[in-house]
Amino acid sequence: SSFFQVNSAVFKQVCDVICEYLDPPDGALVLDLYCGTGAIGMACAKRFPKTEVIGVEINPDAVVDAKATATSAGIGNITFEAGDAGRISHKEAPFAVIVDPPRFGLTDTTIRLILELAPERVIYMSCNPSTLGGDAAKLAAGGYAVSDCTAADMFPRTGHVECVTLFTKQVGR
């Protein structure tokens, strides 16, 4: 019952963009919320082996799959927990938060959590530009600005587009 991106070629490009936006310092903590089977977090953990990545996903089957994949791939700097992205137990301030929510976007609880944790970067992957826009306004009200955005045609010949947006915390906010 786990969700997985089916267009692997474009998904790899999207993961590359996310890693470019992330660019964490050594020892950084990165939260991957709504992580599904953990592919994005694992791509980041593999690219940045001195970074700690924690994936959070509400679907326990996806978490089982993510743990098995990370173990079989030998990626030791990522862990996964099953739970609501807006109610995580880990409260250490992360360098960055990556989110890939369902079509309805982020919950208000998750937005409050992100603003409370105040990471330097929020990387938002969205399959619904209209909900991304609403969530972007809430993040902007909390002191974040859009620094970059990349669109990806994950589903050719359809009206759907994936957007990867980098939000950065504004100084003094």
Side-chain angles (χ1 to χ4, degrees):
S1 66
S2 302
F3 172 81
F4 191 79
Q5 295 288 354
V6 295
N7 188 333
S8 57
V10 175
F11 185 64
K12 183 192 177 312
Q13 293 172 350
V14 166
C15 287
D16 288 344
V17 167
I18 291 170
C19 288
E20 288 172 25
Y21 286 172
L22 182 59
D23 193 26
D26 288 351
L29 172 64
V30 174
L31 298 179
D32 180 13
L33 307 180
Y34 304 92
C35 73
T37 57
I40 293 171
M42 282 186 264
C44 295
K46 191 171 181 180
R47 172 93 56 100
F48 304 106
K50 294 181 180 176
T51 297
E52 177 189 2
V53 179
I54 299 173
V56 180
E57 171 58 42
I58 201 161
N59 178 341
D61 293 333
V63 172
V64 169
D65 292 340
K67 288 178 179 179
T69 302
T71 298
S72 69
I75 304 171
N77 59 323
I78 189 166
T79 57
F80 298 95
E81 61 182 65
D84 183 327
R87 295 178 179 14
I88 62 169
S89 59
H90 196 81
K91 297 293 184 176
E92 179 185 336
F95 168 76
V97 173
I98 300 167
V99 294
D100 183 9
R103 282 195 151 305
F104 61 77
L106 299 174
T107 64
D108 286 339
T109 305
T110 303
I111 290 173
R112 278 193 301 276
L113 173 73
I114 291 169
L115 296 177
E116 176 186 306
L117 293 173
E120 288 185 36
R121 298 176 185 178
V122 176
I123 301 168
Y124 191 134
M125 182 169 165
S126 175
C127 62
N128 187 343
S130 64
T131 58
L132 170 61
D135 290 344
K138 293 172 186 175
L139 290 169
Y144 287 86
V146 172
S147 297
D148 207 341
C149 185
T150 300
D153 191 3
M154 191 78 74
F155 304 102
R157 295 180 293 279
T158 72
H160 298 285
V161 65
E162 293 280 338
C163 294
V164 180
T165 306
L166 171 62
F167 294 86
T168 53
K169 182 89 173 133
Q170 299 304 289
V171 177
R173 297 231 28 207

